[in-house]
Amino acid sequence: METRPGNNFLYSLIADDLAKGRVQQVVTRFPPEPNGYLHVGHAKSICLNFGLAESFGGRCNLRFDDTNPEKESQEFIESIKEDVRWLGYQWAGEARFASSYFGQLYEWACELVREGAAYVCDLDAQQAREYRGTLTEPGRNSPFRDRSVAENLDLLARMKDGEFDEGSRVLRAKIDMASPNMNLRDPILYRIRKVPHHQTGEEWVIYPTYDFAHGQEDAIEGVTHSICTLEFEDHRPLYDWLLAHLPVPGRPRQYEFGRLNLNYTVTSKRKLRQLVDDAVVEGWDDPRMPTIAGMRRRGFTPASIRCFCDMIGVTRSDGVVDVAMLEHAIRDDLNENAPRGMCVLNPLRLVLTNVPADHREQLVAPRHPSREELGNRELTFTRELVIDADDFREEANKKYKRLVLGKRVRLRNAYVIEAHDVVKDATGKIIEVQARIIPDTVGEDPADGIKPKGVIQWVSVATGKRATVRLYNRLFNHEAPDRGDNAFMDFLNPESLQVVEDAWIEAALAEAVPEQGFQFEREGYFVADRYQHTPERPVFNRTIGLRDTSGA
RNA sequence: UGGGGUGUCGCCAAGUGGCAAGGCACCGGGUUUUGAUCCCGGCAUUCGCAGGUUCGAAUCCUGCCACCCCAGCCA
């Protein structure tokens, strides 16, 4: 699958910067906070940032924006690195950390104080909120706004030394409490947090805010195009203000694009975390999760995710992408590349009465219907088989293209058969179908000219294997589960997972390697579970069903 | 009733004054040993609305409307 360089407004803008000589080499960065697993929305940002750097022969850094130690952890750092690599991207040099710049950031904070552009404020959170004003009313100056440079320097140093309690003091930029842009009403630059940091340990008790860190980090790394989502647009004046007031080594520019919204999906770290914490799913990498790790386990491929990101485009409008596009991307990849196999999910015994009990016939079937280079596989044909219970009816109308009593059907890659009897149990349930094979119909139509109505999959009871197959459906049955605060928990799909413990699979499928994807013909695309699949106890996850235009 | 954004087919999205790309979805028809794939065809006289400028407007101007974001010591 080809992923062409996205032709979006950022691409054009960078091309223009290069053409006009405003930048020599493009440097972007993907800056996740390690406080959760990456999700499909991050994939869009990753494809954008790494893709843009790639397109222009530049580089893209991976930088952990770890300025809030309370919510972050090493586990998330590892998962993020793994996910980015899995998607097929390589960051420039080592991964960076905002925390490795804490020393420089602190120096710059002192610099701002010396310039008279920042001050230590003793208002508590509640008071600060009152002083900030509202959207329609200007704020009021903090009573601590006019402290001397010497006093501010002293107080800031003592904040750093741990002399003050959490929440008792903050460092703020001195900008404009009457600004219509709330971000300019003397924003907080540093706050006291007496918690150990996963990278710096006990070294710091004050931590820079996102606003004080981000632009400066970009400058330190030589980032030329700092790409973020729309909600940061109001922060850009502050981003620029800080860079203008500090002796930074670079002049990055911030650009914003619309974040990804997907229907039937929740993409907020907070909500995903709740699904994990409330054990609604089995973890961040549960195949129902829209996390990169979850999609991976579900059977999505890196190529399909990149293709999807390419398909949805990058703009400044905020829309909701139909999850059908994501489904199309993975079907498209797997249809082209996944080997075929046969699996019977809801087994019904089929006895071929004109086939001897000890009959063993090796049949050859292509691994892929249109890609000969993928070779063939062997199937063993025997007297007793299983077919799907849904593929047999005692009687049916013309629309039904499967096996009907007294009628013919083709067994995929094998013979045409004709059903002549059914066996039922005491309750009237069909427990066995008896049929005859029509001789000489492997690869041939029946000599009498009576063609079968359809084609169904089968597995030999003698050589087939049993498998656990997990059938996944969307996690939410509401188009916009994200609406409202916690409403999303009310829209959980009770049928998001159905486990079939004793499905039958053709023998070769048991030998699949974990994470290998297949098309189980007439059923859908499945992947050998990354962690649990073994040849002895095969486990497959359904990635996505086949498109079904039967109208039924 | 402050500020910042966005409005082109059901959804995503090209288009930047010259006569509305493409993808997804959907609907027809063909091929088919997967009701899959593939192929062919259909799918916006109209670009949030109303005025204006122009030979000509989705593109320029004016006004209006709708929706999103901002009042964390989160990012």
Side-chain angles (χ1 to χ4, degrees), chain A residues 339-343 504-513 518 520 528 533 538 540:
Chain A
R340 312 288 129 125
M342 290 195 285
C343 171
W504 285 86
I505 54 174
E506 63 176 79
L509 251 16
E511 307 304 321
V513 302
F518 294 90
F520 289 172
H533 174 86
F540 288 91

Side-chain angles (χ1 to χ4, degrees), chain A residues 95-297:
Chain A
R96 328 284 165 120
F97 290 84
S99 54
S100 67
Y101 309 134
F102 282 172
Q104 175 65 267
L105 257 9
Y106 179 76
E107 282 308 309
W108 282 335
C110 293
E111 175 66 21
L112 239 29
V113 169
R114 275 182 236 113
E115 281 182 48
Y119 63 97
V120 171
C121 179
D122 302 359
L123 256 25
D124 64 28
Q126 168 67 25
Q127 295 168 317
R129 192 175 313 126
E130 285 159 11
Y131 274 82
R132 191 153 35 229
T134 68
L135 294 178
T136 52
E137 303 158 31
R140 291 135 54 210
N141 284 169
S142 161
F144 306 99
R145 201 174 198 256
D146 296 313
R147 293 218 250 227
S148 69
V149 166
E151 186 183 7
N152 279 320
L153 244 19
D154 172 63
L155 254 15
L156 177 57
R158 288 162 63 192
M159 274 172 64
K160 173 173 171 284
D161 290 341
E163 281 189 39
F164 309 123
D165 291 337
E166 277 191 23
S168 64
R169 283 178 163 78
V170 293
L171 181 73
R172 303 175 71 176
K174 190 186 289 188
I175 306 182
D176 178 10
M177 288 305 292
S179 173
N181 181 343
M182 300 295 286
N183 297 117
L184 264 20
R185 319 248 264 223
D186 288 10
I188 290 168
L189 271 23
Y190 263 99
R191 68 293 212 197
I192 301 170
R193 279 284 174 285
K194 297 189 170 173
V195 297
H197 186 285
H198 49 98
Q199 301 302 307
T200 60
E202 312 276 343
E203 189 181 352
W204 295 88
V205 294
I206 59 172
Y207 292 95
T209 55
Y210 163 86
D211 284 314
F212 189 62
H214 211 91
Q216 285 68 263
E217 295 162 10
D218 286 338
I220 290 169
E221 294 180 12
V223 169
T224 53
H225 301 265
S226 183
I227 299 165
C228 61
T229 43
L230 251 21
E231 66 270 29
F232 290 99
E233 186 152 28
D234 288 343
H235 292 245
R236 195 170 64 220
L238 175 54
Y239 181 102
D240 290 337
W241 186 93
L242 287 164
L243 292 174
H245 285 258
L246 261 10
V248 290
R251 191 52 245 260
R253 291 275 169 194
Q254 175 183 303
Y255 300 94
E256 310 85 18
F257 71 97
R259 69 161 62 237
L260 169 68
N261 298 302
L262 252 195
N263 61 14
Y264 295 100
T265 309
V266 141
T267 42
S268 106
K269 270 192 208 167
R270 206 212 93 221
K271 289 171 182 166
L272 293 177
R273 179 193 301 272
Q274 192 179 333
L275 291 171
V276 173
D277 290 347
D278 292 2
V280 169
V281 294
E282 287 165 36
W284 287 96
D285 67 349
D286 185 291
R288 290 165 292 183
M289 291 284 272
T291 51
I292 306 292
M295 293 170 79
R296 176 177 181 176
R297 201 161 173 205

Side-chain angles (χ1 to χ4, degrees), chain A residues 38 82 91 98 116 146 185 205 236 242 258 282 296 298 325 345 355-356 417 436 465 488 497 522 540:
Chain A
L38 261 25
E82 183 177 16
W91 51 89
D146 296 313
R185 319 248 264 223
V205 294
R236 195 170 64 220
L242 287 164
E282 287 165 36
R296 176 177 181 176
R298 175 77 171 255
M325 281 211 218
L345 293 170
V355 172
I417 61 168
R436 272 184 289 271
K465 300 280 201 286
F488 75 105
L497 169 60
R522 302 209 316 129
F540 288 91

